[in-house]
Amino acid sequence: MKKTVQKIIYVIVIIGCFIYLNQNEIKRFYDHYIDNHKVELKNLSKDEFFQIQFIDVGQGESIFIENNKKYVLVDAGNNKDGNKLVKYFQELGIDSFQYVIGTHAHEDHIGGMDNIIRTFPINHYYMPSPTVDNMTYQGVIKALQDKNIKLETPNIDSTFQVENTKFQILSITDDEEDLNNTSIILKVSYYNTTFLLMSDATEEIERNLLEKDINSDVLKVSHHGSKYSSIAQFINKVHPKYAIIQVGKNNDYYFPHKVTLDKLERIGSKIYRTDLNGTIIITSNGNDLQISTKKTDTNQE
Ligand SMILES: [Zn+2]
């Protein structure tokens, strides 16, 4: 009997070693592959600058992207955040936006958008097609009309470029039943660094994305860390080094949910949250990322 137990232990140890060594082998191959497929960055100009800010707007989202003094804004928090965001961008010296994207027609994403539209010149304004009969949405439409800015609805898989930053629309729908499903999902690539911005995508949308090239260095986690999004297959395939959750302190939805945090921790993602860290700022040199955080007055009452 004792011998049988010993044998079983030997077998388990041998299998364990085999799996461990194989994993190392796979990782070596993967690193080698990545090294050989990195874009050469030798010719990158000294003036190149790329930064993405996940702005702390409490229970809402606002993401600001800058490359060589050209600017893109994805969402603008709640109604109460509009003036604070305008002031924040003015203090940063922003004079106009190349693209402004309202990912979907919920207040925590487009609430402050009318203030942005009325203050800054905007070259392109993107939003999904479903119209909504509430003050927030109508306020955005009125501001666009007053400023003579066209509301554009991009096609799925369409791309645009701002300086050396590439943007791909991975998902957009016209599902009027669930506005979260309409969310404009963006993959942002700056040379060899990638950012996946999931807005309030549901499990259904994440499943649709599994066949696409979603592996990214940074994941802006779906729907403020809700347990109804961030399915395991999706998180595993994106496999982000850094996971960002835009979420308010003591919010009514108990976001972010523990199961989501557990899934991210299990794959070794470092988690940053606006409720704990404030505004999260990531700078890229095309290969490596630097992360800093700061408390901003965009989340003061
Ligand atoms: Zn939201």
Side-chain angles (χ1 to χ4, degrees), residues 59-61 104 106 108-109 180 199-200 223-224:
Q59 184 50 41
E61 294 196 348
H104 64 294
H106 278 153
D108 59 325
H109 294 256
N180 287 335
S199 187
D200 282 354
H223 204 181
H224 318 279

Side-chain angles (χ1 to χ4, degrees), residues 6 15 18 20 28 58 62 91 99 105 114 124 142 148 161 169 180 189 191 193 195 198 214 234 257 267 288 301:
Q6 255 178 0
I15 290 173
F18 182 75
Y20 176 74
R28 251 202 301 279
S62 184
E91 281 169 3
Y99 286 81
D114 50 343
H124 293 278
K142 179 84 171 52
N148 221 358
Q161 186 157 347
I169 313 283
N180 287 335
S189 308
Y191 294 101
T193 53
F195 307 81
M198 292 300 294
I214 50 175
F234 179 79
H257 293 149
I267 58 157
D288 306 302
E301 286 308 318

